[in-house]
Amino acid sequence: MERANSMTPRERVLASIAHREPDRVPVDLGSTPSSGISAIAYHRLKRYLGITAGHTRVYDVVQQLAQPEDSILDRFGIDVLDIGRTFNTSDADWYDVVLSDGMTVQFPAWFRPVKRPDGGLDVFDAEGDRIATMPMGATFFDQTCFPYQDGYPASYQELPRAMRKVHWAALAHSPWDHAGEPDFWQQLRQRALALRQSSDRALMIVAGCNLFEWGTFLRRIDNFLMDLVSNPSEVERLLDALMEQHLATLEKVCQAVGDVADVIRFGDDLGMDTGPFMSPAIYRRLFKPRHKMLCDYVKRHTRMHTFLHSCGSIYRLLPDLIEAGFDIINPVQTNTRDMEPERLKREFGRDITFWGGGCDTRSVLNRATPEQVKAHVKRNLEVLAPEGGFVFTAVHNILPDVPPENVVAMFEAVEEFSV
């Protein structure tokens, strides 16, 4: 089916972020580690499509996500790329590994988990601490080291060392797996410029700068949730130390690619199925001012649009997230309380771009028939696509239990809607 395209992919994405309806719905797959596809699902999709060339490369080892290849990006009309894909481009950067279901994929050469007698995998840091584990039959790595589990330190001088014991940082996906190299920032700029010159797709830089989540990574989520209420002064002390780290990194990101990337992605999972992890009042006191500092810095120094990944029901926080300066929200978890597409579009559709919400990955994409997937996607498109402010992707990553025919049906629905 032929599309009538009058915009480049970059123009399409930027028009939608500006709340102008583009020539067709812009589409994402794999530009962020929350809009991607698991290696298992990706391998099965390629096999279903009859694609035998190339490799299934696990670029995000924690979540076991595949880096989509050009053939897949072209096949599904993907409009945005992760700058991180410009790293680890040589065959020598990867090695073959067999997953628990017998599927052969490739891991980055630097990632060497230790296999246990029961078939599970463990990851140890340079000091010998076990920082992550993946049980036999599981499909992602769990965190096992919580540096501040027993209490807050008197000084945050050693905060970077503590952060390196958290698997999200220690096992970072590209480009951040190269961040320790002396010429990393020059490499990042050069590779980003080359990508922009060779592609007319929009470019994404994933920058992290998590705040609430870093509290849960360091203290463990049960402790940190209690701290928000019972010990907010210690929480603020930790957040200030994190902000010092984040702003130093953000300055370098903006200098390196602020005039090259179109979107910068931050992360902070603020929601559960039933609502936010915290009251709006606590968010406004502890996190909103610091989120605003991050967004303000980007807007003062670059032309990038600010993107926040936050799972769960964040309806009650959306007015504050908009005021903090986020232009884009993801994954738009429409299967949680108060997050119905109609409500979100009606109340916030003029103020923020919904990057996601296109297909429910919890109960539709993985369980429905292809025909039901198509009908579901088209209903969401009818609500979310008008007047822009929408980039299509599924509600979070496409997981191993998703049949390949349903992935194809999802993207076919977008194509049919846009014709």
Side-chain angles (χ1 to χ4, degrees):
M1 193 174 295
E2 187 176 347
R3 292 183 172 113
N5 297 334
S6 60
M7 292 179 169
T8 68
R10 183 177 296 121
E11 290 170 343
R12 186 172 300 122
V13 171
L14 294 177
S16 198
I17 294 172
H19 298 272
R20 300 192 308 270
E21 191 165 324
D23 59 340
R24 66 167 177 82
V25 175
V27 182
D28 175 29
L29 174 68
S31 77
T32 80
S34 54
S35 59
I37 181 168
S38 82
I40 292 173
Y42 183 77
H43 188 88
R44 291 173 179 161
L45 175 63
K46 285 183 65 177
R47 188 167 55 196
Y48 178 79
L49 294 172
I51 299 173
T52 57
H55 303 279
T56 297
R57 288 179 164 165
V58 182
Y59 88 103
D60 180 331
V61 299
V62 173
Q63 298 185 98
Q64 296 286 285
L65 300 180
Q67 181 171 278
E69 296 158 285
D70 289 344
S71 59
I72 295 294
L73 299 176
D74 293 340
R75 168 68 175 78
F76 296 122
I78 304 306
D79 294 296
V80 56
L81 296 174
D82 173 17
I83 287 173
R85 70 188 288 114
T86 61
F87 288 77
N88 302 328
T89 55
S90 137
D91 287 345
D93 294 325
W94 304 88
Y95 71 98
D96 288 347
V97 63
V98 179
L99 298 183
S100 59
D101 66 349
M103 184 179 296
T104 298
V105 301
Q106 291 192 320
F107 280 175
W110 57 262
F111 181 61
R112 301 283 175 170
V114 177
K115 192 168 186 178
R116 299 197 308 265
D118 65 1
L121 299 176
D122 288 331
V123 179
F124 297 86
D125 71 1
E127 297 176 340
D129 292 325
R130 189 177 73 138
I131 62 170
T133 189
M134 184 164 70
M136 180 65 178
T139 56
F140 59 88
F141 280 85
D142 290 314
Q143 181 178 348
T144 55
C145 182
F146 299 86
Y148 297 159
Q149 178 177 340
D150 296 327
Y152 292 92
S155 165
Y156 284 106
Q157 186 175 353
E158 296 293 318
L159 177 60
R161 175 175 173 268
M163 294 171 78
R164 288 193 295 270
K165 287 188 174 293
V166 173
H167 74 328
W168 294 107
L171 309 178
H173 56 76
S174 56
W176 303 106
D177 54 346
H178 290 263
E181 297 172 9
D183 63 343
F184 169 69
W185 296 106
Q186 295 91 332
Q187 279 194 61
L188 181 63
R189 179 163 184 80
Q190 291 166 3
R191 291 169 186 264
L193 284 168
L195 183 61
R196 190 171 183 93
Q197 290 164 4
S198 64
S199 174
D200 61 3
R201 290 182 168 107
L203 301 186
M204 175 82 69
I205 181 69
V206 177
C209 294
N210 313 53
L211 291 170
F212 170 73
E213 282 188 313
W214 264 114
T216 68
F217 299 159
L218 292 165
R219 277 282 285 149
R220 208 177 63 188
I221 190 168
D222 53 343
N223 294 321
F224 194 63
L225 286 174
M226 291 187 285
D227 294 342
L228 297 181
V229 176
S230 64
N231 205 356
S233 60
E234 284 289 2
V235 170
E236 291 205 79
R237 200 167 65 86
L238 171 61
L239 294 180
D240 287 341
L242 288 167
M243 283 296 292
E244 185 176 347
Q245 301 288 322
H246 292 341
L247 287 170
T249 300
L250 188 58
E251 179 182 5
K252 294 177 182 177
V253 170
C254 291
Q255 288 173 350
V257 298
D259 59 342
V260 183
D262 300 292
V263 182
I264 182 169
R265 187 255 198 200
F266 298 121
D268 238 352
D269 281 345
L270 300 170
M272 308 175 286
D273 276 0
T274 55
F277 276 110
M278 68 204 74
S279 69
I282 290 177
Y283 174 76
R284 291 176 197 130
R285 173 182 172 180
L286 298 177
F287 301 101
K288 183 178 178 180
R290 295 168 175 88
H291 278 156
K292 188 175 188 305
M293 287 175 65
L294 296 172
C295 291
D296 285 351
Y297 189 90
V298 172
K299 292 174 188 294
R300 282 198 309 269
H301 295 93
T302 79
R303 59 180 183 77
M304 297 184 292
H305 296 279
T306 51
F307 172 124
L308 177 69
H309 166 72
S310 176
C311 289
S313 170
I314 55 170
Y315 168 81
R316 293 172 63 202
L317 300 182
L318 275 172
D320 292 296
L321 295 172
I322 292 167
E323 287 182 5
F326 292 111
D327 302 315
I328 301 161
I329 200 74
N330 161 271
V332 196
Q333 197 169 341
T334 55
N335 49 29
T336 61
R337 181 180 293 174
D338 299 327
M339 294 286 286
E340 300 88 352
E342 296 82 0
R343 172 183 288 197
L344 296 177
K345 188 71 171 182
R346 181 178 64 251
E347 297 189 27
F348 305 110
R350 295 180 181 275
D351 302 312
I352 200 162
T353 293
F354 300 114
W355 193 296
C359 187
D360 180 345
T361 47
R362 178 183 292 176
S363 60
V364 177
L365 191 60
N366 57 341
R367 297 179 183 174
T369 65
E371 293 74 20
Q372 291 169 330
V373 169
K374 278 194 175 185
H376 167 76
V377 168
K378 289 179 180 179
R379 283 195 300 272
N380 288 337
L381 288 166
E382 288 167 0
V383 173
L384 293 168
E387 300 181 4
F390 177 63
V391 174
F392 179 89
T393 193
V395 177
H396 220 296
N397 297 318
I398 299 169
L399 295 180
D401 62 342
V402 174
E405 55 268 32
N406 283 7
V407 178
V408 172
M410 177 179 72
F411 287 115
E412 284 182 347
V414 182
E415 184 175 8
E416 292 167 9
F417 179 85
S418 297
V419 172

